[in-house]
Amino acid sequence: LLFYKSFAPGQAMFANDGPLGVQKIKSYAVPDALFGIWNELGWLGGDNGAIQPNLRGLMLFLGPLGYLNFSVPLSLLILGWCAWFYFRQLGFRPMVCALGGLAAALNMNFFSNACWGLPSRATCLAMIFLALAALHSGLKSHGWIKAILAGLAIGLSISEGGDNGAFFSLFVAAYAFWIALTGEGDWLKKSIFGALRVAVMAV
């Protein structure tokens, strides 16, 4: 409902960090941008790296106008779903999970950043929720496999949000160590297991 104007013809959502004019630059067109971008907007230009094969990279296939109009609601929807999934892994009631997902999607820090033109902040946090869900689910079965999946989610978070994802990863590592430490076995075994799980995620 908040983004109903995204469906209106001739409308482009405001994005201070990547307006429509920038999105239409030829060097940002996919799939070519997956192999490198030369930003020629200033003087001789400069190397802008390449579009990464993450959620933001996939959304660029919507085209410049489609990306501007739908990347924000899609990113917030993904964030809400991932938060809901994490709360579900914790065993909360369905209503609590739904409210938690809604609260995450409408959190004004990530919501306002996304509307400003940085929807990758929302998907960055979404991947962290997935990592936490994988770790918590790993307490029941396939702990090592789910630790690897958590590491993959953290990698995606860093590719989406850069320094934000890196900061969040430290909290996930602390969470992994804590749930390993509070599990079964003596304190030395727990400490070693916690350190190994964090190391597996880091790889």
Side-chain angles (χ1 to χ4, degrees), residues 4 22 24 46 51 59 63 67 89 94 107 110 112 127-128 135-137 139 142 144 147 165 167 176-177 188-189 199:
Y4 74 95
V22 172
K24 285 190 169 186
I51 298 296
M59 288 183 199
Y67 174 79
Q89 293 304 310
N107 177 288
F110 295 92
S112 60
M127 295 302 103
I128 292 298
L135 288 173
H136 195 81
S137 174
L139 293 174
H142 309 294
W144 290 108
F167 289 132
F177 190 78
L188 182 61
K189 181 181 174 184

Side-chain angles (χ1 to χ4, degrees), residues 2 10 16 21 24 46-47 51 56 62 74 77 87 98 103 111 118 133 142 148 158 161 173 190 198:
L2 291 172
N16 187 75
K24 285 190 169 186
D47 181 20
I51 298 296
R56 180 178 177 273
L62 295 170
L74 284 174
L77 187 63
F87 296 132
F111 185 90
L118 291 172
H142 309 294
I148 292 169
I158 293 171
K190 294 173 186 175
V198 171

Side-chain angles (χ1 to χ4, degrees), residues 179-201:
I179 62 174
L181 201 62
T182 55
E184 296 179 3
D186 59 75
W187 70 271
L188 182 61
K189 181 181 174 184
K190 294 173 186 175
S191 300
I192 293 170
F193 181 68
L196 285 174
R197 183 169 281 190
V198 171
V200 166
M201 286 179 358

Side-chain angles (χ1 to χ4, degrees), residues 2-200:
L2 291 172
F3 297 98
Y4 74 95
K5 282 196 173 179
S6 293
F7 294 95
Q11 292 280 331
M13 188 170 172
F14 169 81
N16 187 75
D17 208 53
L20 185 59
V22 172
Q23 299 295 338
K24 285 190 169 186
I25 296 172
K26 188 178 179 182
S27 59
Y28 282 92
V30 288
D32 293 343
L34 292 168
F35 303 100
I37 299 168
W38 184 262
N39 190 344
E40 53 192 20
L41 288 181
W43 199 47
L44 296 176
D47 181 20
N48 262 23
I51 298 296
Q52 298 180 29
N54 52 22
L55 293 172
R56 180 178 177 273
L58 289 174
M59 288 183 199
L60 287 171
F61 282 94
L62 295 170
L65 190 59
Y67 174 79
L68 271 186
N69 283 341
F70 297 106
S71 63
V72 174
L74 284 174
S75 297
L76 294 171
L77 187 63
I78 291 168
L79 172 56
W81 274 341
C82 292
W84 168 83
F85 184 66
Y86 171 59
F87 296 132
R88 190 167 172 261
Q89 293 304 310
L90 292 178
F92 290 131
R93 292 175 181 269
M95 181 59 75
V96 174
C97 298
L99 289 173
L102 189 62
L106 297 179
N107 177 288
M108 272 302 109
N109 186 3
F110 295 92
F111 185 90
S112 60
N113 273 276
C115 292
W116 185 72
L118 291 172
S120 57
R121 296 263 173 97
T123 49
C124 168
L125 181 61
M127 295 302 103
I128 292 298
F129 274 118
L130 276 187
L132 294 173
L135 288 173
H136 195 81
S137 174
L139 293 174
K140 301 170 189 172
S141 63
H142 309 294
W144 290 108
I145 293 172
K146 290 178 180 176
I148 292 169
L149 290 174
L152 176 63
I154 288 171
L156 280 170
S157 175
I158 293 171
S159 77
E160 291 281 348
D163 54 350
N164 292 283
F167 289 132
F168 288 151
S169 71
L170 299 175
F171 293 106
V172 178
Y175 181 80
F177 190 78
W178 173 254
I179 62 174
L181 201 62
T182 55
E184 296 179 3
D186 59 75
W187 70 271
L188 182 61
K189 181 181 174 184
K190 294 173 186 175
S191 300
I192 293 170
F193 181 68
L196 285 174
R197 183 169 281 190
V198 171
V200 166

